[in-house]
Amino acid sequence: MKEVIVKILKKALKKKAVSLKDEEILNLIEVPPSQEMGDYAFPCFFLSKQLHDNPSRIAIELREKMGNAPATDLEDIQTQGPYINFFVNRKSLARQVIWDAITQKKNFGESKLGKGKRTMIEFPSPNTNKPLHLGHLRNMAIGESISRILEFNDEKVIRANMNNDRGIHICKSMLAYKKWGREKTPTDKKEKSDHFVGDFYVMFNKKKTKKLEAEAQEMLQKWEAGDKNTLLLWKLMNGWALDGFKETYKKFEIKHDVNYFESKIYKKGKEMILDGVKKGLFTQEKSGEVKIDLSNEKLGEKILLRKDGTSVYIVFDLALAKIKFEDYKLNKSFYVVGNEQDYHFKVLFSLLEKLGFKDKEMKHISYGLVNLPTGRMKSREGTVVDADDLIERVRLLAEKELSKRDKLSKTELKKRSLIIALASIKYLLLKVDINKNMLFNPKESVSFDGDTGPYILYSYARASSIMEKASLVQKKTEVNELEEKDIALVKKLSQFPEIVESAYKNLNPSLIANYSYQLAQIFNEFYHNCKVIGSEEEAFRLALVQSFRQVLKNSLSLIGIETLDKM
Ligand code: ARG
């Protein structure tokens, strides 16, 4: 509907010798605060300077240039002060959106904006010395949602995972295990294997002394030198960590197309640095240290190789970026990584440009930390909300709720409660703007009412139960009389394609999450006020409810949430 309005405005503006692009006009269109002011409004203030007139008169003149409103789409166009207000033909809007949703089904809302593009999205890229925590869940929720949003806009997405599987932090858990692990295995302790590894990392930090730190450093050197026993221990413990991650990914519904390992590529990064030294891009000191001065870009001085020749964290990333583009002929390469690494990625992209990476779109999708009421989560101190524990805790709560209502088989109970738990966690993590840090209060955060995932799922189940009761009726898009709550629902449904487009352009899942919640709210109001089965508009309203189900399902799917017909 907005396109029609853009067209009308563009034509009228042209007659006043104002040329604006469709996109620009679209961005100016507002939704007025009340129905009397129409469904859409175009403010004329900004034209005042150019046309040397006051905005109210400009509004009137533009309106005159428009002639009669095209009745199939618009009922009326009026001016009110500096605004031009558009009143859409509601019946035709209803007809259109219901037809589109019901015929296009799971494709309703998609676009071709990203056609022909190949994009790699990297997430969550853990270190292999400890299990995943709530921060990783936020990372994965964002990574998966952005992947789905890109796919819905016709991009080809490659989901990648970077395993930081070498380095001093890995050696710390290895050393602690060697000293105090008594050769026990996760099976002996009946513990999930990545948790088992993480316990030793915490243990190391609790018992940490200067001597212990030196020993870890020694171990790292042995590892780099290829010492057999060190490598054996490393393989064993890394295997445990990776096996554990696999289970968590599966539970959180994350599938990667490719896994990278720092241990396999960091040497290539070092070669790139030495190559850069030869080309005069980086300076090597007498001590052996290699660095680069980035103060021109306000990034200060960055050390790349230490005096002892070992490479710093950023070095493997140089090789990784190159490998990614080579392996997959990418147009774009995105990294979903927390905002503590903003500086890291600025330096990385700057170094890559110097090394000849031109015209390659790389982006750090930076997201805020998840903090606890007690402060920042710290893995090394063991003060984190563990990912597996959280999912299970929320699942048990959902199980308790479900058991109050229905008698379900054990498998059904487990299946439904997991879907509800994931909806609850994913929605909680995605409704917040990704740039913002968020506070997670374990006591308050898991609620099923109000602005939550389960509330949204519940509205879907309600709609499903209406449809189930109405098995035999035919659906139709025609309606005699539209009530206020019908209109509100129709309008919200019709916004979905615009929301998708905006989420795509801004890489912003929270737009979809918030839309889903608002849609569910509007449906609930409709549900409480409008009779569906047995009403005079039964066939139309069934079609409307069916459209709601479809749009909500599509919307939730973009934030990785599955629906349930019964709750
Ligand atoms: N493993 C790192 C961490 O846990 C994140 C890696 C991000 N990816 C990258 N290519 N640097 O902090």
Side-chain angles (χ1 to χ4, degrees):
M1 188 59 64
K2 265 192 180 173
E3 291 96 77
V4 180
I5 297 172
V6 169
K7 242 193 195 152
I8 295 172
L9 279 164
K10 199 173 179 178
K11 230 167 126 189
L13 285 163
K14 216 172 184 172
K15 288 184 185 158
K16 298 279 297 167
V18 178
S19 79
L20 284 178
K21 291 202 193 89
D22 288 10
E23 182 86 20
E24 292 169 315
I25 301 178
L26 197 66
N27 289 335
L28 285 163
I29 295 176
E30 296 173 1
V31 176
S34 89
Q35 292 267 346
E36 297 102 70
M37 299 176 197
D39 303 292
Y40 294 105
F42 185 77
C44 297
F45 307 98
F46 79 106
L47 291 165
S48 191
K49 222 176 174 179
Q50 189 180 346
L51 297 177
H52 306 289
D53 205 347
N54 81 48
S56 305
R57 261 204 305 273
I58 295 173
I60 292 171
E61 277 181 36
L62 280 174
R63 173 65 193 92
E64 276 164 8
K65 302 262 182 271
M66 289 174 191
N68 284 338
T72 44
D73 296 309
L74 293 172
E75 252 152 31
D76 203 0
I77 307 173
Q78 300 172 1
T79 59
Q80 191 176 27
Y83 288 94
I84 305 176
N85 295 333
F86 296 85
F87 294 78
V88 305
N89 180 332
R90 285 154 179 181
K91 283 185 191 168
S92 96
L93 183 68
R95 197 184 302 124
Q96 187 68 48
V97 69
I98 289 173
W99 175 257
D100 288 350
I102 288 179
T103 56
Q104 295 170 22
K105 299 201 166 67
K106 69 178 194 335
N107 301 327
F108 177 69
E110 66 178 18
S111 90
K112 300 275 173 222
L113 287 169
K115 196 178 162 77
K117 297 238 165 78
R118 289 167 78 79
T119 302
M120 180 174 279
I121 306 192
E122 185 205 294
F123 65 95
S125 301
N127 300 338
T128 56
N129 60 334
K130 52 173 202 252
L132 305 180
H133 55 64
L134 180 53
H136 292 105
L137 291 182
R138 187 174 192 194
N139 182 313
M140 292 193 284
I142 292 170
E144 180 60 24
S145 176
I146 292 183
S147 300
R148 290 179 182 213
I149 291 169
L150 297 194
E151 284 169 339
F152 205 54
N153 288 277
D154 215 22
E155 291 201 11
K156 165 85 187 130
V157 172
I158 297 122
R159 292 165 175 77
N161 190 26
M162 169 72 219
N163 297 279
N164 287 112
D165 62 345
R166 50 142 250 132
I168 190 68
H169 49 292
I170 312 286
C171 289
K172 287 178 181 173
S173 9
M174 282 161 60
L175 186 63
Y177 179 73
K178 203 170 155 184
K179 285 191 174 292
W180 306 298
R182 284 183 268 139
E183 298 189 12
K184 288 240 162 37
T185 67
T187 338
D188 296 335
K189 288 196 71 187
K190 292 200 177 61
E191 201 181 353
K192 192 165 168 276
S193 56
D194 51 341
H195 290 218
F196 181 83
V197 173
D199 291 348
F200 288 101
Y201 184 60
V202 174
M203 201 184 288
F204 177 95
N205 286 292
K206 282 212 176 110
K207 305 198 177 193
K208 183 167 73 179
T209 56
K210 280 242 157 69
K211 188 166 161 274
L212 213 52
E213 300 238 37
E215 274 182 72
Q217 205 65 47
E218 236 169 77
M219 194 177 227
L220 180 62
Q221 272 153 21
K222 276 190 175 169
W223 183 90
E224 293 209 7
D227 176 68
K228 211 171 123 204
N229 284 331
T230 311
L231 285 180
L232 273 177
L233 175 62
W234 171 72
K235 277 202 181 117
L236 179 71
M237 291 186 77
N238 256 346
W240 286 336
L242 295 170
D243 283 347
F245 295 164
K246 243 186 234 162
E247 274 177 52
T248 314
Y249 297 148
K250 192 163 171 216
K251 203 159 230 178
F252 210 60
E253 299 164 317
I254 300 297
K255 274 200 197 114
H256 293 110
D257 299 301
V258 54
N259 265 285
Y260 293 109
F261 297 88
E262 183 183 348
S263 59
K264 290 196 182 137
I265 58 178
Y266 80 106
K267 285 200 175 125
K268 285 202 187 97
K270 210 167 149 178
E271 285 162 21
M272 286 170 78
I273 298 285
L274 295 172
D275 212 41
V277 172
K278 272 192 207 135
K279 286 185 185 141
L281 289 168
F282 312 131
T283 36
Q284 186 153 32
E285 307 283 303
K286 284 215 180 68
S287 61
E289 199 175 65
V290 175
K291 52 188 177 185
I292 182 167
D293 182 11
L294 295 170
S295 43
N296 276 346
E297 296 158 59
K298 295 206 169 67
L299 294 171
E301 186 182 80
K302 178 76 191 165
I303 293 176
L304 301 169
L305 296 184
R306 298 189 195 93
K307 288 183 189 128
D308 63 3
T310 57
S311 42
V312 303
Y313 169 58
I314 204 163
V315 171
F316 87 90
D317 252 334
L318 294 171
L320 178 65
K322 198 165 162 222
I323 293 169
K324 283 176 173 179
F325 276 96
E326 281 167 4
D327 285 356
Y328 287 93
K329 309 251 171 309
L330 304 175
N331 300 93
K332 300 190 261 180
S333 177
F334 293 168
Y335 300 79
V336 183
V337 182
N339 62 11
E340 331 107 296
Q341 295 191 31
D342 284 355
Y343 171 75
H344 170 84
F345 281 97
K346 279 190 192 133
V347 174
L348 177 65
F349 297 155
S350 159
L351 293 180
L352 284 167
E353 207 186 312
K354 293 185 175 46
L355 287 165
F357 261 63
K358 300 262 151 65
D359 313 315
K360 301 243 191 296
E361 195 179 334
M362 285 178 284
K363 195 175 166 66
H364 171 206
I365 299 181
S366 167
Y367 63 90
L369 300 179
V370 188
N371 293 317
L372 303 176
T374 44
R376 212 173 142 168
M377 291 198 276
K378 291 202 183 97
S379 292
R380 79 181 97 90
E381 291 171 18
T383 56
V384 295
V385 175
D386 177 80
D388 301 307
D389 293 350
L390 179 69
I391 297 172
E392 186 56 11
R393 194 150 51 82
V394 182
R395 195 190 67 74
L396 288 173
L397 277 177
E399 215 176 81
K400 217 165 126 197
E401 281 290 314
L402 287 174
S403 309
K404 280 188 210 153
R405 297 187 196 147
D406 253 331
K407 245 200 127 33
L408 298 172
S409 72
K410 255 200 170 141
T411 26
E412 189 60 22
L413 193 60
K414 216 162 176 184
K415 189 182 133 216
R416 282 193 208 175
S417 58
L418 182 60
I419 291 178
I420 295 171
L422 292 178
S424 162
I425 295 170
K426 290 179 184 179
Y427 179 73
L428 181 85
L429 295 171
L430 290 174
K431 71 177 177 179
V432 190
D433 205 83
I434 62 178
N435 303 307
K436 294 208 175 96
N437 288 353
M438 58 184 282
L439 186 73
F440 179 84
N441 188 338
K443 291 210 183 77
E444 291 165 11
S445 289
V446 185
S447 144
F448 292 173
D449 306 313
D451 187 5
T452 65
Y455 169 92
I456 304 173
L457 283 191
Y458 194 61
S459 74
Y460 183 89
R462 264 186 175 158
S464 301
S465 97
I466 297 177
M467 295 317 293
E468 197 187 6
K469 282 186 203 123
S471 49
L472 273 176
V473 285
Q474 85 284 31
K475 293 161 220 141
K476 65 166 198 169
T477 57
E478 288 308 322
V479 59
N480 298 316
E481 206 61 62
L482 277 168
E483 282 177 33
E484 197 195 320
K485 303 285 173 198
D486 296 309
I487 297 164
L489 185 53
V490 163
K491 275 170 104 178
K492 197 74 197 170
L493 291 171
S494 76
Q495 283 167 14
F496 182 57
E498 289 161 32
I499 300 288
V500 171
E501 187 176 326
S502 179
Y504 171 70
K505 290 185 174 155
N506 300 298
L507 300 175
N508 186 354
S510 75
L511 295 176
I512 305 278
N514 292 316
Y515 172 82
S516 306
Y517 175 62
Q518 290 156 11
L519 180 61
Q521 263 183 321
I522 289 176
F523 174 77
N524 282 344
E525 277 168 33
F526 164 87
Y527 177 87
H528 289 300
N529 288 286
C530 301
K531 194 168 163 189
V532 179
I533 292 172
S535 83
E536 274 177 30
E537 302 287 359
E538 178 175 307
F540 167 76
R541 287 214 170 118
L542 282 173
L544 185 57
V545 173
Q546 179 62 7
S547 307
F548 161 75
R549 276 181 85 234
Q550 188 66 58
V551 175
L552 186 62
K553 198 184 183 75
N554 295 7
S555 184
L556 288 176
S557 142
L558 292 179
I559 47 173
I561 293 179
E562 237 180 285
T563 52
L564 281 169
D565 284 326
K566 285 205 175 86
M567 262 175 86

